[in-house]
């Protein structure tokens, strides 16, 4: 659930949820069952967690599992035995605690992938000069696709330009500054100035009408 909420461009609901969970376990309400959080039942929360695992890049109700595996299994070579995923997951957890093994196990179906896809796989070289410069956007605090990957990608294609959205979450389309730059790029081919940085539209804990307004992130 936490992994899914980190994809958002503001963490108000995540903060509210963790704060409420803490209070119910260690505060005056400790020991009571968590029946409802911000209007959601326990069943709703479990469904949201399932949506994260089955479709982390899509809205709830959109199943992207099959195309996700179709692409990832085609472009990788994987072992067959489950022990390999177990060992890889433990290694990833040492570098990326809490989330490493989750993403490692997400590719486990590739171990029994039966489709013959080697002729469709591409392993490089990746450096090239495209017909048109590529506009690449990265978030400075993206927890899913770190910004250094976007910067590296930009260097692989001559003439490309990197645009930084100095914010959090996964994805930047919808940010007013980024959207203006994209509109200009797709309509005229104009790239933003070198080193352009877009600020987030709202704060990390921007709040909303259905959130408890008294909540604030606590130090520590």
């Amino acid at each position: 659930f936490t992994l899914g909420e980190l994809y958002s461009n503001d963490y108000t609901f995540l903060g509210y949820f963790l704060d409420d969970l803490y209070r119910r376990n260690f505060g005056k309400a400790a020991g009571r069952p968590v029946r409802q959080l911000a209007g959601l039942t326990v069943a709703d929360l479990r469904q949201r967690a399932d949506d994260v695992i089955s479709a982390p890049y899509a809205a709830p109700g959109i199943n992207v599992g099959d195309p996700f595996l179709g692409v990832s299994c085609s472009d990788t070579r994987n072992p067959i035995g489950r022990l390999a995923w177990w060992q890889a997951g433990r290694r990833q957890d040492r570098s990326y605690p809490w989330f490493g093994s989750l993403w490692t196990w997400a590719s486990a179906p590739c171990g029994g992938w039966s489709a013959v896809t080697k002729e469709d796989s591409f392993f490089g070289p990746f450096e090239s000069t495209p017909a048109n410069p590529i506009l690449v956007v990265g978030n400075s605090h993206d927890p899913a696709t770190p910004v250094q990957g976007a910067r590296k990608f930009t260097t692989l294609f001559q003439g490309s330009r990197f645009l930084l959205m100095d914010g959090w979450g996964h994805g930047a389309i919808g940010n007013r500054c980024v959207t203006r730059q994209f509109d200009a790029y797709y309509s005229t081919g104009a790239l933003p100035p070198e080193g352009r940085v877009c600020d987030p539209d709202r704060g990390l804990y921007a709040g909303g009408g259905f959130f408890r307004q008294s909540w604030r992130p606590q130090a520590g």
Side-chain angles (χ1 to χ4, degrees), residues 72-86:
S72 60
C73 297
S74 298
D75 289 343
T76 58
R77 298 292 174 260
N78 298 280
I80 297 176
R82 71 180 66 181
L83 183 61
W85 267 272
W86 173 260

Side-chain angles (χ1 to χ4, degrees), residues 9-59:
N9 290 124
D10 84 68
Y11 295 160
T12 304
F13 183 79
L14 175 61
Y16 174 89
F17 174 81
L18 295 178
D19 176 69
D20 196 71
L21 191 63
Y22 179 87
R23 291 173 186 273
R24 290 176 184 270
N25 280 276
F26 302 103
K28 293 181 179 179
R32 301 177 189 174
V34 182
R35 298 181 181 275
Q36 191 168 340
L37 294 171
L40 295 178
T41 65
V42 172
D44 293 329
L45 292 171
R46 286 174 176 165
Q47 182 60 54
R48 292 186 68 159
D50 288 341
D51 290 335
V52 170
I53 295 173
S54 62
Y57 298 105

Side-chain angles (χ1 to χ4, degrees), residues 9-185:
N9 290 124
D10 84 68
Y11 295 160
T12 304
F13 183 79
L14 175 61
Y16 174 89
F17 174 81
L18 295 178
D19 176 69
D20 196 71
L21 191 63
Y22 179 87
R23 291 173 186 273
R24 290 176 184 270
N25 280 276
F26 302 103
K28 293 181 179 179
R32 301 177 189 174
V34 182
R35 298 181 181 275
Q36 191 168 340
L37 294 171
L40 295 178
T41 65
V42 172
D44 293 329
L45 292 171
R46 286 174 176 165
Q47 182 60 54
R48 292 186 68 159
D50 288 341
D51 290 335
V52 170
I53 295 173
S54 62
Y57 298 105
I62 300 176
N63 185 4
V64 299
D66 292 342
F68 174 81
L69 291 174
V71 173
S72 60
C73 297
S74 298
D75 289 343
T76 58
R77 298 292 174 260
N78 298 280
I80 297 176
R82 71 180 66 181
L83 183 61
W85 267 272
W86 173 260
Q87 294 171 339
R90 291 184 62 122
R91 287 195 300 270
Q92 289 295 305
D93 274 337
R94 286 194 288 270
S95 300
Y96 311 100
W98 310 111
F99 302 118
S101 58
L102 188 155
W103 282 118
T104 300
W105 279 100
S107 65
C110 294
W113 197 255
S114 59
V116 180
T117 55
K118 292 183 179 180
E119 63 271 17
D120 295 327
S121 301
F122 181 72
F123 294 96
F126 295 98
E127 297 86 351
S128 66
T129 303
N132 298 288
I134 298 174
L135 175 59
V136 182
V137 179
N139 292 4
S140 59
H141 296 84
D142 189 329
T145 52
V147 68
Q148 57 264 33
R151 294 185 184 277
K152 175 64 176 178
F153 182 87
T154 308
T155 65
L156 299 178
F157 301 94
Q158 186 175 351
S160 297
R161 184 67 47 83
F162 177 72
L163 174 65
L164 177 68
M165 202 280 273
D166 191 17
W168 31 85
H170 181 68
I173 296 298
N175 173 275
R176 286 174 294 184
C177 171
V178 172
T179 301
R180 283 197 300 269
Q181 300 300 322
F182 259 81
D183 288 346
Y185 172 71

